[in-house]
Amino acid sequence: MRHFTDLAALDAAAIERLLESAQELEAEPLRETLRGKVLGLVFFNPSLRTLSSFQAGMAQLGGSSFVLAPGQGTWKLEVRDGVVMDGDAAEHIREAIPVLGQYADVLGVRAFPEGKSLEHDLSEPLLASLLRHTCKPLVNLESAMDHPCQALGDWKTLDDTGVPRRGGRMVLSWAWHPKALPLAVPAAVLKMGAMRGMDVTVLRPDGFGLPAPVMERARALAAGAGGSVQETEDREGALEGAHVLYAKSWQSPRYYGDPNGESALRSEFREWCVQESWFRPARSDAIFMHCLPVRRNVVVADEVLDGPRSRVVPQAANRLHVQKAILLDLLGGSR
């Protein structure tokens, strides 16, 4: 594995290898395999789980890490090509990334979308630029339209819980949020469920359907794995016999780049907060998942988040295990 930027870029054997490695690392977490290796982490946007889990994971494998937040203790970085740099950015990623590659054995970068043009963000221009300019393995810590580390951790959580791959039913449900959030996590989770061979339903109100290219790719992946992908506004129908309800908030593609229009549309759906009553049509053992951070009694009610269905804490813990497996694979470490 040269880079880890898109879960769908890996074949089934590679994913199984990572999941098996993650299980072994969960059972025996402390190794010296990556002694002397350095992980460089660049966060253009905030993080709690991704930052802490990667640093903890590298330490547990015997390596070390450094963290940069451009503009906060380091030079602000310019990411656009062909720009006249007469603003507040003092350095361009064309120089910064190759330089950091001299100091680190593997690089991880998080950069959220610009949020102005859906077509632009769907093309992942920054991620493509990073791949062009790095000489070291690159890990996508969340880009404009993907979060493969979250998706792989979620895959392990579903396996751990006994949710079937082929034939398992997952509902990816939109939930209300006071802010217009990126599409990366729902797109990544949808792709993961499709690759797993599950029957995935995107449950969302009108105007919040995921972009057509995201849905089309997921349907193609599902077809190849023996699963299916559909979308609906019918909550009862979507949750009928479901094994898992995965809640996530995301902005409306219909009003992408139009905050006023998006906010007006969003205001109509504040009742989209996951309650225990939502699970009535689902299986009695259906679980609840969310990537975190989550706003209590806004996205999901306390009764669900604190109840026996919730898997949000082990789900977050699995980020550590799968990311250690990714680091070992990228750096050629033995399991």
Side-chain angles (χ1 to χ4, degrees):
M1 189 167 69
R2 178 73 176 92
H3 302 290
F4 187 78
T5 57
D6 179 354
L7 195 63
L10 305 182
D11 60 23
I15 292 173
E16 288 302 327
R17 183 175 68 246
L18 290 173
L19 292 170
E20 289 171 9
S21 179
Q23 290 286 7
E24 295 172 9
L25 289 160
E26 182 178 11
E28 297 180 40
L30 301 181
R31 313 283 177 94
E32 291 296 320
T33 316
L34 298 186
R35 176 174 289 279
K37 299 293 186 180
V38 177
L39 166 65
L41 297 168
V42 182
F43 283 86
F44 288 89
N45 303 99
S47 173
L48 188 151
R49 276 149 297 280
T50 302
L51 171 57
S52 56
S53 58
F54 263 108
Q55 284 199 288
M58 196 63 178
Q60 290 177 7
L61 293 173
S64 59
S65 59
F66 62 81
V67 181
L68 300 177
Q72 301 177 38
T74 67
W75 303 118
K76 187 170 183 181
L77 298 180
E78 179 60 70
V79 301
R80 297 169 296 171
D81 287 333
V83 66
V84 176
M85 289 178 57
D86 57 358
D88 56 355
E91 191 162 7
H92 201 284
I93 61 167
R94 283 177 173 266
E95 291 75 52
I97 294 301
V99 167
L100 293 177
Q102 305 302 306
Y103 308 150
D105 299 283
V106 57
L107 292 173
V109 180
R110 165 174 283 191
F112 290 171
E114 290 186 11
K116 298 176 181 178
S117 164
L118 180 58
E119 183 178 6
H120 177 270
D121 289 339
L122 282 168
S123 70
E124 295 276 21
L126 177 55
L127 183 60
S129 181
L130 291 168
L131 287 168
R132 284 196 303 272
H133 300 305
T134 184
C135 60
K136 295 294 173 65
L138 180 70
V139 181
N140 180 357
L141 308 181
E142 187 174 352
S143 62
M145 290 289 164
D146 210 347
H147 198 341
C149 295
Q150 181 68 52
L152 187 61
D154 292 342
W155 189 318
K156 182 178 183 302
T157 302
L158 293 169
D159 283 354
D160 291 348
T161 312
V163 175
R165 294 188 180 185
R166 186 170 297 189
R169 298 198 61 191
M170 179 169 74
V171 176
L172 172 61
S173 178
W174 183 87
W176 188 82
H177 194 281
K179 297 181 179 180
L181 298 185
L183 298 164
V185 171
V189 171
L190 175 61
K191 184 163 52 179
M192 177 273 298
M195 294 174 64
R196 217 169 167 267
M198 301 180 74
D199 296 319
V200 186
T201 299
V202 179
L203 173 63
R204 81 297 180 274
D206 182 47
F208 287 90
L210 293 172
V214 172
M215 295 297 293
E216 289 165 7
R217 190 179 189 200
R219 288 191 174 103
L221 291 168
S228 65
V229 170
Q230 58 185 329
E231 58 183 332
T232 185
E233 300 174 52
D234 178 10
R235 187 180 302 158
E236 290 276 331
L239 283 158
E240 183 67 37
H243 292 84
V244 55
L245 169 58
Y246 196 122
K248 186 67 183 82
S249 307
W250 63 83
Q251 64 184 299
S252 168
R254 181 183 296 173
Y255 290 99
Y256 204 90
D258 176 4
N260 292 331
E262 209 278 348
S263 179
L265 178 64
R266 175 179 300 273
S267 67
E268 301 175 19
F269 303 111
R270 185 151 189 170
E271 77 282 1
W272 281 67
C273 171
V274 179
Q275 312 284 333
E276 177 60 31
S277 61
W278 284 34
F279 288 89
R280 288 188 190 125
R283 290 170 53 94
S284 60
D285 59 351
I287 63 170
F288 173 79
M289 295 175 66
H290 188 284
C291 63
L292 302 181
V294 65
R295 298 197 180 211
R296 285 174 172 264
N297 302 306
V298 171
V299 171
V300 55
D302 285 344
E303 60 178 349
V304 176
L305 202 53
D306 297 328
R309 299 188 188 279
S310 179
R311 294 293 184 278
V312 298
V313 173
Q315 183 183 355
N318 276 328
R319 292 288 304 279
L320 173 66
H321 311 315
V322 300
Q323 288 163 186
K324 288 167 69 177
I326 292 165
L327 291 171
L328 282 178
D329 199 293
L330 288 173
L331 296 174
S334 171
R335 281 161 46 191

